[in-house]
Amino acid sequence: IERQQDKEIIFARDINGSNNGVFLIKNTPKMKELLQKCYSDRRFFHTNFPEQNAMFAIALSDEYKDLVGWEEAMFFNAYYPVYKDYKSVERYFDKDSFILHMPRLPEKFRIEKFLLVLRKLGIFCFVKGDK
């Protein structure tokens, strides 16, 4: 946030270019307007990521593009050392990461890895079914 003080919405760069699964947004009239436009946009319903496509089409339009900031995934939206079909990626989660992002991985795998990371960081956690 300190590096992006003049921005009203900050996205993470992603293995696919960009991702709207995790973003920071200021509570301003302009950003409320942007979110409402994204919610109402129907142009991308036929695509695999309709909400993401709508958000970036609107956020990167001339009206909003100067309000958009970007951060590298390793600091903002970092990956566990596997992605999608278990291919390695170059950016990994560590203690300085903001969010651990594990898209398209099986739920059981995600839970196992989240618990491993939390326990390594000394954070107590349990999940349904723990004894």
Side-chain angles (χ1 to χ4, degrees), residues 31-93:
M31 290 299 101
K32 289 178 185 177
E33 174 187 286
L34 178 141
L35 290 176
Q36 186 59 48
K37 285 182 179 181
C38 293
Y39 180 75
S40 301
D41 194 311
R42 304 285 186 254
R43 293 177 291 168
F44 301 99
F45 271 15
H46 65 283
T47 67
N48 287 336
F49 305 104
E51 76 294 341
Q52 184 162 286
N53 291 332
M55 180 171 268
F56 287 118
I58 294 164
L60 299 176
S61 69
D62 287 343
E63 184 175 359
Y64 299 102
K65 68 182 178 184
D66 293 336
L67 302 173
V68 175
W70 296 94
E71 284 294 326
E72 292 303 319
M74 60 191 290
F75 301 117
F76 193 84
N77 192 23
Y79 292 94
Y80 198 77
V82 295
Y83 178 75
K84 200 159 86 176
D85 53 0
Y86 305 101
K87 292 179 183 174
S88 293
V89 296
E90 294 177 14
R91 302 176 298 259
Y92 298 118
F93 178 84

Side-chain angles (χ1 to χ4, degrees), residues 11-12 14 18-24 51-52 55-56 76-77 99 101:
F11 295 106
D14 183 87
S18 56
N19 184 293
N20 75 340
V22 178
F23 59 93
L24 295 175
E51 76 294 341
Q52 184 162 286
M55 180 171 268
F56 287 118
F76 193 84
N77 192 23
I99 297 290
H101 184 59

Side-chain angles (χ1 to χ4, degrees), residues 74-76 94-98:
M74 60 191 290
F75 301 117
F76 193 84
D94 64 26
K95 66 179 180 53
D96 296 322
S97 300
F98 180 57

